[in-house]
Amino acid sequence: MTQDFKIADISLADYGRKEIQLAEQEMPGLMALREEYLASQPLKGAKIMGSLHMTIQTAVLIETLTALGAEIRWVSCNIFSTQDHAAAAVVVGQGGSTDAPKGPPVFAWKGETLEEYWWCTLQALTWPGADGPNLILDDGGDATMLVHLGHELEKAGEVADPSKASNAEEKVILTVLKTVREERGDNFWTPMAAKIRGVSEETTTGVHRLYERATAGTLLFPAINVNDSVTKSKFDNVYGCRHSLVDAIMRSTDVLISGKRALICGFGDVGKGSADSLRGQYARVSISEIDPICALQACMMGLDVVRLDDAVGEFDIFCTATGNKDIITADHMSRMKHNAIVCNIGHFDNEIDMAGLEAMAERGEVEKIEIKPQVHEWRFKNTTHGPGGSGHSILVLAEGRLVNLGCATGHPSLVMSASFTNQTIAQIELHTSAETYGDNMLTKADGKAPEVVTLPKSLDEKVARLHLEKFGAKLTSLSEEQAEYLGIPRQGPFKPGHYRY
């Protein structure tokens, strides 16, 4: 049975509403879209399933999509990232009350188990009286993945087998798929997938999954890659991490960052913002990298580029920012300094080998001690470089998941306004013309293969324009002669698609 919502505490709605009102003043892009499109209702008829961190900033996004005509069902894309007062405010809605909520359904609370997380995802995908959503707004690709896996099992006539899972989370996913088959039959996911016209994807990991499927010919519907819009990748990944990484470490540990040696694993946009964050507190920052161009950029910023294996015992703070798996292993953590801080700000939850630590705990080699929620000491029993020659400890934040959302409040509103303005534009584009980017392969198997596309440069520039007034910025205008000299339109776009900002 589909539930209307499930959150931690609906009585937090008034607190959440006050913070939403503050955030709206810092999210000029979304508020401008409300003003521009309120009358035309471009999302009327859209049934959007959202899987994205349920924060105050996301609440402004949800209410923007709703104001433009969409029906919404929402989950968080991370077990620790929900702000419970934000979830409560969305459920109560504008003009609603705790006794008579009027907002869209939300299935999210801070501190979900993996079983609860995937249950929530299923609830948000299950539309009352219909086969499901016709659009997905995803962050990390979990909702998109669940629909695809469910359809593929039905097509193959197979039942998911949790015993074949390679890790704990995969076992939970397969259990959900098996339960759905048992309770809802062998034609649940395919009709749902057939109704989905497209997905807009927020982050690097989810985009990578989409491109893999597109290349393999298994992508069922078109996708807009929001992550690689300049006004998303720079604002969110660089400027957002610049703000929120040290915020999370300070809230978690109260450790002085100045003078500490910090290693950022990965120097893409997230790594660049994270390095800025720690350097702003005068930490001594180094980088580990696989990409020679990113490594050279780090060198040109005055940062040492080192191998983690060579220098693991020399650093006080470790932060992964790669989007890859097995970056910091249990063996690495066994060789770290006493009380080294270990955290992740990349997307994957397996950049840090938490499964390896848990296995060591089961064998009695390490003890997990909760200092406070999302802050744990892991005390090694068989090492000798701790106090007095005893076992050392490390501090792991947010259990290896996104530290800025697990231990703080994520990126600030103005940064997320740029990201979420892109998301709203992407959803409007999909709702009005998804078939431009390919057909749903279940409804038109011989049609145009679905593509993964980015928003055009003109819309990227529009997102930037919508935020300039907040900074009091005044753009210079080209003359006709200048525009002709450069060979570009007077009103833009001003850079070619291949330009690197």
Side-chain angles (χ1 to χ4, degrees):
M1 181 175 126
T2 302
Q3 297 191 13
D4 289 328
F5 64 87
K6 186 171 177 61
I7 59 176
D9 186 354
I10 200 169
S11 71
L12 298 173
D14 285 346
Y15 169 33
R17 179 56 54 191
K18 290 182 176 65
E19 289 221 328
I20 288 172
Q21 290 167 348
L22 290 174
E24 287 174 346
Q25 301 304 308
E26 284 283 295
M27 304 188 82
L30 288 181
M31 303 311 287
L33 292 184
R34 291 190 197 183
E35 183 177 349
E36 180 178 354
Y37 292 115
L38 188 62
S40 62
Q41 294 286 283
L43 289 174
K44 185 176 182 180
K47 294 180 171 63
I48 301 173
M49 183 278 183
S51 175
L52 193 152
H53 309 287
M54 184 59 258
T55 65
I56 289 295
Q57 292 72 34
T58 303
V60 181
L61 169 63
I62 292 170
E63 293 188 346
T64 299
L65 297 170
T66 302
L68 303 190
E71 296 179 39
I72 303 289
R73 293 176 74 82
W74 208 270
V75 293
S76 187
C77 61
N78 183 298
I79 63 175
F80 294 135
S81 64
T82 297
Q83 294 171 3
D84 290 322
H85 60 309
V90 169
V91 166
V92 167
Q94 295 170 311
S97 68
T98 54
D99 295 327
K102 294 184 178 180
V106 174
F107 304 86
W109 57 94
K110 192 175 184 70
E112 299 162 2
T113 64
L114 286 175
E115 290 79 7
E116 290 168 339
Y117 170 80
W118 286 102
W119 177 88
C120 288
T121 303
L122 177 62
Q123 302 312 304
L125 282 166
T126 308
W127 224 271
D131 293 321
N134 54 28
L135 294 172
I136 294 176
L137 194 160
D138 218 347
D139 184 344
D142 282 353
T144 305
M145 177 184 69
L146 194 63
V147 172
H148 277 76
L149 289 180
H151 159 69
E152 288 165 356
L153 286 166
E154 289 178 352
K155 181 180 179 181
E158 298 177 3
V159 177
D161 185 355
S163 69
K164 294 181 178 179
S166 59
N167 57 62
E169 185 157 14
E170 185 181 2
K171 184 175 182 179
V172 173
I173 296 168
L174 294 177
T175 300
V176 167
L177 292 169
K178 182 180 179 182
T179 301
V180 168
R181 177 67 69 88
E182 292 169 350
E183 295 181 353
R184 310 192 190 204
D186 58 4
N187 195 36
F188 173 79
W189 294 105
T190 300
M192 177 187 291
K195 293 289 178 65
I196 298 172
R197 298 177 62 215
V199 57
S200 60
E201 171 56 51
E202 175 79 2
T203 201
T204 307
T205 300
V207 166
H208 178 67
R209 290 173 173 175
L210 290 169
Y211 281 123
E212 281 186 330
R213 283 195 170 275
T215 301
T218 61
L219 184 64
L220 295 176
F221 37 77
I224 293 181
N225 166 7
V226 169
N227 181 69
D228 288 320
S229 294
V230 176
T231 46
K232 191 281 179 183
S233 62
K234 297 300 180 186
F235 271 71
D236 190 324
N237 296 343
V238 179
Y239 311 135
C241 293
R242 179 190 293 172
H243 172 100
S244 62
L245 175 57
V246 292
D247 182 25
I249 295 173
M250 289 172 174
R251 291 186 196 224
S252 303
T253 66
D254 289 323
V255 166
L256 181 70
I257 294 174
S258 301
K260 297 289 196 305
R261 291 201 65 187
L263 179 65
I264 306 293
C265 299
F267 201 61
D269 282 339
V270 171
K272 289 177 174 68
S274 299
D276 285 345
S277 187
L278 290 166
R279 291 179 94 190
Q281 289 296 315
Y282 294 94
R284 295 178 289 162
V285 179
S286 298
I287 302 297
S288 66
E289 248 302 339
I290 60 168
D291 186 323
I293 295 175
C294 292
L296 182 59
Q297 287 178 315
C299 291
M300 298 301 288
M301 298 264 314
L303 302 170
D304 291 330
V305 179
V306 303
R307 293 190 181 98
L308 174 62
D309 284 335
D310 297 338
V312 68
E314 301 173 10
F315 289 89
D316 307 289
I317 300 169
F318 297 83
C319 182
T320 55
T322 69
N324 202 353
K325 66 175 185 175
D326 301 332
I327 303 304
I328 294 179
T329 66
D331 176 67
H332 287 138
M333 290 182 273
S334 72
R335 293 187 279 135
M336 288 179 179
K337 278 185 178 181
H338 179 59
N339 279 2
I341 296 167
V342 181
C343 63
N344 167 51
I345 200 169
H347 182 77
F348 276 133
D349 54 20
N350 55 0
E351 296 205 26
I352 298 169
D353 182 18
M354 299 307 298
L357 280 183
E358 295 287 359
M360 292 181 70
E362 289 180 7
R363 297 192 299 266
E365 298 170 12
V366 64
E367 180 183 4
K368 180 182 180 181
I369 303 163
E370 181 171 281
I371 297 173
K372 58 184 178 182
Q374 284 82 63
V375 181
H376 292 86
E377 176 188 359
W378 290 80
R379 184 176 296 165
F380 289 77
K381 297 183 179 180
N382 299 327
T383 57
T384 57
H385 57 280
S390 63
H392 78 295
S393 294
I394 61 170
L395 301 177
V396 178
L397 309 184
E399 301 196 25
R401 295 175 180 266
L402 287 173
V403 67
N404 57 328
L405 282 152
C407 296
T409 59
H411 298 336
S413 297
L414 190 58
V415 161
M416 296 315 301
S417 180
S419 294
F420 291 165
T421 300
N422 276 287
Q423 277 285 10
T424 303
I425 291 172
Q427 287 289 311
I428 293 171
E429 181 69 12
L430 286 170
H431 189 53
T432 55
S433 56
E435 289 70 26
T436 302
Y437 309 109
D439 295 300
N440 184 303
M441 291 291 95
L442 297 179
T443 57
K444 198 173 181 180
D446 59 347
K448 179 182 176 182
E451 300 176 88
V452 183
V453 300
T454 54
L455 291 170
K457 183 74 69 176
S458 58
L459 291 179
D460 220 344
E461 290 182 359
K462 176 179 178 176
V463 173
R465 285 180 190 277
L466 293 176
H467 293 84
L468 288 176
E469 186 177 346
K470 187 72 177 178
F471 295 99
K474 305 295 183 184
L475 280 176
T476 300
S477 296
L478 288 175
S479 68
E480 290 286 359
E481 292 79 8
Q482 288 173 320
E484 184 178 349
Y485 179 78
L486 292 174
I488 60 175
R490 281 193 68 199
Q491 301 305 318
F494 297 100
K495 301 289 191 296
H498 61 265
Y499 183 80
R500 296 287 181 264
Y501 288 86

